[in-house]
C-alpha cells in the first residue's frame, strides 16, 4: 500500500485492486483503510472472492489498460483534507494472489505487510514496487449479491440429535 494524502474532505466507499492472471479464482480477500502513522485499521470490507482475475494477463498492456476490481467497504469512511491514509489488500494464505505493480517509488513510500527477513516475522516493510491498489470515492459502490428464491428450501432436524461435537 502507498499513502494517499487527501487534498479535500472525502468519503471512501471502496478500494480498487488490479488482480493479475496468476491469482487463483475464488480466492477470498479483504481490503482495509489504514492510517499512515501507526498502520491501524479504520475500515474494512467483508471477505470477497476474486472471481475472474485472468482478465489482466501477466502484465499491463502497452496502452496501460488494466481491469480494476472494486471491493466495497462495510461502511463508508470519512477522511479530512490533509490526512494521509493507506489502502491495503489482505490475503490470509492458501491460493495464490498477484497484484499488479505500477512503477518504482522512492524508499518509505510503498509498504507490504508480511513475513520477511531471517526471522520471517510479520510486520510492515517498505517496497519500491508500488502495488496497484487505490481508493474509490464513488458512492455507487455495488456489492454483487445473488438473489436466491426460498421456495425450494426446507429446514430439517439436525442429525445426530443430540449432537456431540459435529452436527449436520
Amino acid at each position: 500500500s502507498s499513502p494517499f494524502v487527501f487534498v479535500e474532505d472525502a468519503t471512501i466507499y471502496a478500494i480498487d485492486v488490479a488482480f493479475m492472471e496468476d491469482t487463483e479464482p475464488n480466492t477470498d480477500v479483504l481490503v482495509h483503510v489504514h492510517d499512515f502513522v501507526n498502520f491501524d485499521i479504520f475500515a474494512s470490507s467483508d471477505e470477497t472472492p476474486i472471481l475472474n482475475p485472468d482478465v489482466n494477463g501477466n502484465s499491463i498492456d502497452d496502452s496501460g489498460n488494466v481491469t480494476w476490481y472494486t471491493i466495497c467497504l462495510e461502511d463508508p469512511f470519512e477522511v479530512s483534507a490533509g490526512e494521509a491514509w493507506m489502502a491495503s489488500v489482505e490475503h490470509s494464505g492458501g491460493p495464490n494472489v498477484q497484484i499488479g505493480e505500477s512503477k518504482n517509488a522512492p524508499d518509505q513510500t510503498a509498504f507490504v505487510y508480511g513475513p520477511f527477513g531471517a526471522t520471517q516475522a510479520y510486520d510492515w516493510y517498505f517496497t519500491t514496487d508500488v502495488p496497484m491498489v487505490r481508493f474509490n470515492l464513488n458512492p455507487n459502490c455495488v456489492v454483487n449479491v445473488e438473489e436466491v428464491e426460498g421456495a425450494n428450501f426446507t429446514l430439517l432436524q439436525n442429525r445426530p440429535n443430540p449432537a456431540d461435537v459435529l452436527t449436520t
Side-chain angles (χ1 to χ4, degrees), residues 83-110:
E83 293 178 342
W85 294 93
M86 293 175 39
S88 70
V89 179
E90 177 184 343
H91 170 248
S92 298
N96 189 29
V97 171
Q98 293 292 313
I99 298 172
E101 296 172 352
S102 62
K103 63 178 182 175
N104 288 335
D107 290 352
Q108 305 295 328
T109 59

Side-chain angles (χ1 to χ4, degrees), residues 46-103:
D46 289 327
E47 281 192 10
T48 304
I50 305 307
L51 300 177
N52 185 23
D54 62 350
V55 296
N56 281 326
N58 286 319
S59 61
I60 312 310
D61 67 23
D62 292 337
S63 64
N65 292 330
V66 66
T67 299
W68 291 93
Y69 294 84
T70 299
I71 302 173
C72 301
L73 296 174
E74 288 180 21
D75 296 304
F77 185 71
E78 304 288 329
V79 296
S80 298
E83 293 178 342
W85 294 93
M86 293 175 39
S88 70
V89 179
E90 177 184 343
H91 170 248
S92 298
N96 189 29
V97 171
Q98 293 292 313
I99 298 172
E101 296 172 352
S102 62
K103 63 178 182 175

Side-chain angles (χ1 to χ4, degrees), residues 71-152:
I71 302 173
C72 301
L73 296 174
E74 288 180 21
D75 296 304
F77 185 71
E78 304 288 329
V79 296
S80 298
E83 293 178 342
W85 294 93
M86 293 175 39
S88 70
V89 179
E90 177 184 343
H91 170 248
S92 298
N96 189 29
V97 171
Q98 293 292 313
I99 298 172
E101 296 172 352
S102 62
K103 63 178 182 175
N104 288 335
D107 290 352
Q108 305 295 328
T109 59
F111 298 87
V112 173
Y113 184 83
F116 292 97
T119 64
Q120 292 292 292
Y122 277 78
D123 204 349
W124 286 96
Y125 299 90
F126 80 86
T127 178
T128 56
D129 299 320
V130 179
M132 295 179 73
V133 178
R134 66 184 184 191
F135 288 121
N136 185 317
L137 308 180
N138 184 344
N140 298 318
C141 180
V142 176
V143 176
N144 294 327
V145 177
E146 184 178 333
E147 295 287 331
V148 178
E149 292 294 325
N152 296 325

Side-chain angles (χ1 to χ4, degrees), residues 156-168:
L156 301 172
Q157 178 65 47
N158 64 315
R159 60 182 198 275
N161 185 14
D164 182 16
V165 176
L166 182 65
T167 186
T168 304

